[in-house]
Amino acid sequence: MHHDPLPPVSWPPALDALQAEVRRRTSLLPVIGIVLGSGLGGLADQLTDATAIPFGDLPGWPSATAPGHAGRLLLGRLSGVPVVALQGRFHLYEGHPVGLVVQPVLLMQRLGAPVVLLTNAAGGVDPAYGAGMLMLIRDHLNLTGVNPLIGPNDDTLGPRFPDMVDAWDPELRTVLRRAAAETGVAVEEGVYAQLLGPSFETPAEVRMLHGLGANAVGMSTVVEAITARWAGLRVAGVSLVTNPGAGITGAPLTHEEVLAAGEAAGPRMIALVRRFAEIVASS
Ligand code: HPA
């Protein structure tokens, strides 16, 4: 299924080339890396002094991405804080090898960011979660059937058997809750399950996920978080619940409603991320 998995030992030369291409264009040293999920790309417009690099200009990166994803790497300032942002991301369901899907977070680390904030659009598995709700990620379920770290390891980058207790950094979750309180943005906290996609879940799968302890479900983020933790990055995450999970209301799920809910929640997400960046940079 996932043709060449691009194992960890193959990553350093790819990262060397990516880093060199970015550094040809900007010397900005980011303190946070931010991955912008479906419909959340509007945050990119908030960056000042931004250098925008289309994915296709970066060595080894395909230019095509999923609808709703612009496909650019940006380095700039958010509220004055130097950040690197990924507008769009690579998904397993596009057929990309998992080693490509996780390259952006490792590139963020190469560029100097010790912290990554992963955002996504998600379906609500918790019946109490309505469209537009924001969920801080406390923990995850990797239900993709793949792991980015399979294959020969590079022990200089990370350990063979990385620990995943507190993968979602407790201190950064406290920072996110504080940022939410200070900006008046309501947030819940829960467990995110990544499935392979691209089909949405069946109602039976959503009931299963609920039984497994998931609060939200989507098609990204977890493999990125595993890689980031392996490499020693501190990881935080926010899901935007764009729709109740399949079967909860009986309505069919569409990508259009996912994008529309992303647009609608954009200002709240921007306020939250902006404040998060300010607090992280000042601590
Ligand atoms: N399921 C999976 N991924 C999603 C959903 C969903 O209901 N909504 C947005 N992304």
Side-chain angles (χ1 to χ4, degrees):
M1 172 183 52
H2 298 284
H3 42 101
D4 185 359
L6 297 180
V9 279
S10 73
W11 296 346
L15 292 167
D16 288 345
L18 288 162
Q19 186 178 2
E21 181 55 36
V22 173
R23 285 300 171 223
R24 230 172 43 74
R25 300 175 185 232
T26 171
S27 59
L28 186 123
L29 286 176
V31 298
I32 306 177
I34 308 172
V35 177
L36 303 171
S38 301
L40 302 172
L43 198 104
D45 301 333
Q46 305 287 313
L47 299 189
T48 52
D49 306 326
T51 301
I53 312 174
F55 285 173
D57 287 6
L58 288 162
W61 284 18
S63 49
T65 60
H69 291 261
R72 298 190 299 171
L73 185 78
L74 298 110
L75 288 96
R77 291 175 186 278
L78 182 67
S79 259
V81 179
V83 301
V84 53
L86 196 72
Q87 193 179 20
R89 52 152 60 92
F90 304 120
H91 298 90
L92 293 172
Y93 64 72
E94 293 173 275
H96 295 308
V98 66
L100 173 71
V101 172
V102 301
Q103 257 178 31
V105 290
L106 294 172
L107 176 57
M108 289 171 167
Q109 181 182 41
R110 280 289 192 104
L111 296 173
V115 168
V116 289
L117 175 65
L118 307 175
T119 73
N120 59 48
V125 169
D126 189 320
Y129 286 5
M133 209 272 296
L134 298 180
M135 185 191 87
L136 314 185
I137 302 177
R138 182 178 61 228
D139 202 349
H140 69 237
L141 298 173
N142 178 11
L143 300 177
T144 61
V146 298
N147 191 295
L149 305 178
I150 57 168
N153 192 49
D154 183 328
D155 295 335
T156 65
L157 291 182
R160 171 78 293 186
F161 300 112
D163 173 49
M164 290 290 140
V165 175
D166 289 336
W168 298 88
D169 193 280
E171 282 178 34
L172 293 179
R173 278 189 273 135
T174 300
V175 171
L176 277 170
R177 281 193 299 269
R178 188 180 139 199
E182 289 176 3
T183 53
V185 172
V187 292
E188 301 287 336
E189 186 163 329
V191 175
Y192 175 88
Q194 180 180 359
L195 273 64
L196 195 51
S199 51
F200 285 119
E201 299 70 42
T202 62
E205 286 166 344
V206 168
R207 289 193 297 272
M208 171 192 77
L209 292 166
H210 190 231
L212 293 178
N215 300 97
V217 58
M219 306 174 191
S220 69
T221 304
V222 170
V223 292
E224 294 151 75
I226 290 170
T227 306
R229 281 305 300 143
W230 168 79
L233 284 158
R234 296 174 66 204
V235 181
V238 182
S239 291
L240 162 62
V241 174
T242 55
N243 56 278
I248 292 181
T249 67
L253 270 43
T254 68
H255 187 57
E256 288 65 35
E257 82 178 307
V258 169
L259 296 184
E263 297 283 321
R268 274 183 295 132
M269 191 65 133
I270 288 167
L272 180 66
V273 174
R274 188 184 273 283
R275 189 73 194 114
F276 174 79
E278 289 168 355
I279 299 173
V280 168
S282 70
S283 60

